[in-house]
Amino acid sequence: MVPPVLEVDDLNTTYQRRVVLDAIDLSVDGPALVAIVGPNGAGKSTFLKSILGLVPCTGSVRVLGQPIDSVRRRIGYVPQRESVDWDFPVSVGDVALMGTYGRLGWFRRPGAAERRVAQECLSRVGLDGLEDRQIGRLSGGQQQRTFLARALAQQADVYFMDEPMAGVDASTQAVIFDLLDELRDAGKTVFVVHHDLRTVASRFDRVVMLNRRLIAAGPMAEVFTTENLQQTYDSQFVTLDEAIACSATTR
Amino acid sequence: MLRYNTLIVLLGVGLLGAAAGPIGALAVLRRRALVGDALAHATLPGLCLAFLIIGERSMPALLLGALASGLLGVTVLALLSRYTRIKEDAAIAIVLSVFFGAGLVLSRWIQNHTTTGSKAGLDSYILGKTAGLLLDDVLLLAGLAVLVLVVLLALYKEFQLLIFDRDFARVQGWPVARLDLLLLGLIAVLVVIGLPAVGVILVASLLILPAVAARMWTDRLHRLLVLSGLIGALTGVVGAALSASLPRAPAGAVIVLVAMAFFVVSAVARRLLWG
Ligand SMILES: Nc1ncnc2c1ncn2[C@@H]1O[C@H](COP(=O)(O)OP(=O)(O)O)[C@@H](O)[C@H]1O
Ligand SMILES: [Mg+2]
């Protein structure tokens, strides 16, 4: 039997004695595109970081049926864009190449094969010709695509992406959605923290609704309901349409 | 005509600068410039204690003492920011001044209470002195500088990833805390081997200035490291040569002013060339 892609059991995360994630239980089967939604400060980023072992937490997390440390080579990560210094002296190509470092291991330098992979990944996100550009001299959408190319270069089976579509233009959004479809069709599972409720139902297979605790999780049609949205967003909205319209204006 | 001894000193201090440049570049990118300065000032008490224990001037012993107390300073710094409500900048100021103050008291005491104290030239470790460097000492410094460069070359990709995106590095399974500690260790070794030439007060700028000067010329990390190494080496050679002809000026100050000149030229040139 194939184990679930993600299995979370009684996950609790606390920052300086403040509970941010409260007793999360979750099981997700793949391949699938999974949207993670919730208001600002709901703990969505913290949820990804807890799964990936980036913040201290209690409870058990299994990815592809194993503890995270045994499957790191099969995991891809797109952090929130604000998490790095874009003045850092690296080029777009350098960043894409970083995706291959995990496979390379200690001391080995990336060679021709790694450069080819990085180049292909840059092409897939439409960044051909920009590989020598310093990353600070990119638009927000190009920066997000650079991060995506790096994650693709990890050649992973499960991806975790933190708001890859925050602050991007419509053309970048289209590129990213096509890429997500390609990944799912290739049998991968992608978890995407996503703020735009308009596109959740149409572009994702499953949804995880989070607000410090797990409100609901499952197939889109069953779970993405007005009632669950009201609970997730603290009843700020009365109808599904209203919630969706509001998510379009608050970003 | 340069004497053979002077030539060796120039080469040694040049190598020191060549290692200080790239290590300094990583330190600046990792935002450890101030920590490096606190570490440098915190070496003084250890240096003095090592002298008291050994009883005579032996550079390896002095440097070991300096390294130990520099690392103790950084540890205190980490504990202060972690377990008290003191913010990091205040913690840095505290560690820097308290350790340096203790070092000054110790060094004065040594000079007044031991016969060898004044000859030991502990003062020269505070402001730096290249003229009196012995051949064996220069070889030791140069050897350590080369060692640091080798580690840096071997772990270039790891350090690049660690500093640019720590979380991503952890997702890939790199032991980021240990790598970070190693980087801090390299910074500490460089600070300590810079002490004889540049001195406690100014050695941190030997790490920082060549790096920020080089940053004016390039946007790529590997070029930044090579260039800051070159600028560091030039700074060391020119600074040591100048200070040989200006025996009354402290070598540390001369070297730092040379580094400053490189920085100013770079910054102005960048402005003129690229606007
Ligand atoms: N490193 C941190 N230290 C302390 N509190 C944090 C830290 N990171 C996030 N938080 C807090 O945890 C809560 C959840 O944050 P986050 O996971 O970033 O939410 P989201 O991604 O859903 O907007 C927020 O209230 C935030 O202020
Ligand atoms: Mg977030």
Side-chain angles (χ1 to χ4, degrees), chain A residues 15-16 18 20 39-47 80:
Chain A
Y15 284 131
Q16 285 121 35
R18 224 182 94 230
V20 176
N40 279 330
K44 304 180 295 293
S45 299
T46 303
F47 183 53
Q80 238 165 238

Side-chain angles (χ1 to χ4, degrees), chain A residues 53 87 101 105 109 137, chain B residues 153 157 160 165 170 215 219:
Chain A
D87 255 347
Y101 287 6
R109 295 290 173 81
R137 279 186 242 129
Chain B
L153 267 172
K157 118 174 159 293
Q160 178 208 43
D165 195 342
R170 275 192 68 189
R215 187 68 179 86
D219 271 335

Side-chain angles (χ1 to χ4, degrees), chain B residues 37-116:
Chain B
D37 199 22
L39 197 157
H41 283 75
T43 58
L44 192 55
L47 219 142
C48 295
L49 283 178
F51 175 81
L52 270 180
I53 294 167
I54 306 281
E56 59 182 297
R57 188 187 172 287
S58 141
M59 190 180 279
L62 293 187
L63 295 189
L64 265 181
L67 185 66
S69 90
L71 290 177
L72 179 68
V74 191
T75 310
V76 171
L77 181 56
L79 294 176
L80 279 180
S81 340
R82 179 149 181 191
Y83 291 109
T84 70
R85 294 172 65 184
I86 302 171
K87 298 277 182 281
E88 198 189 21
D89 63 328
I92 286 173
I94 292 170
V95 166
L96 186 149
S97 42
V98 170
F99 273 75
F100 188 60
L104 282 180
V105 170
L106 266 174
S107 80
R108 213 25 59 88
W109 190 88
I110 290 171
Q111 280 171 22
N112 293 339
H113 291 261
T114 64
T115 46
T116 48

Side-chain angles (χ1 to χ4, degrees), chain B residues 177-199:
Chain B
R178 264 177 283 165
L179 272 170
D180 212 18
L181 215 57
L182 178 63
L183 181 58
L184 185 64
L186 294 182
I187 295 170
V189 168
L190 232 115
V191 161
V192 165
I193 62 178
L195 292 179
V198 193

